[in-house]
Amino acid sequence: MVASGGCEVGANVTRYTTLLVVGDQDISKLAGKDKSSKHLKAEELIGIGQKIRVLGESDFQSLLVP
């Protein structure tokens, strides 16, 4: 869905990441944390000046639907 929306999909959050779509999380898979490791990495990069937009899954879907 992301690729069909014109985005390039990456496996990791890097300094080249500009958008992170976060979906509903299964709490049991977060190892006691509130956010995924990708979300935490994105926040770390944002903290040092990287411009990354973090969107929830439903917000992203609403951007794709005309």
Side-chain angles (χ1 to χ4, degrees):
M1 192 166 71
V2 173
S4 67
C7 297
E8 184 178 328
V9 179
N12 300 304
V13 174
T14 70
R15 62 187 180 105
Y16 299 107
T17 301
T18 57
L19 173 67
L20 176 66
V21 178
V22 292
D24 296 329
Q25 296 294 325
D26 179 351
I27 300 298
S28 67
K29 295 184 179 184
L30 292 178
K33 296 186 167 97
D34 293 332
K35 300 174 183 174
S36 70
S37 60
K38 289 180 183 180
H39 194 164
L40 294 171
K41 178 67 175 181
E43 288 182 340
E44 176 186 325
L45 290 171
I46 291 167
I48 60 171
Q50 181 70 28
K51 293 184 180 184
I52 299 176
R53 184 174 180 188
V54 180
L55 279 178
E57 182 179 3
S58 58
D59 292 330
F60 181 75
Q61 287 177 347
S62 70
L63 291 176
L64 296 180
V65 179

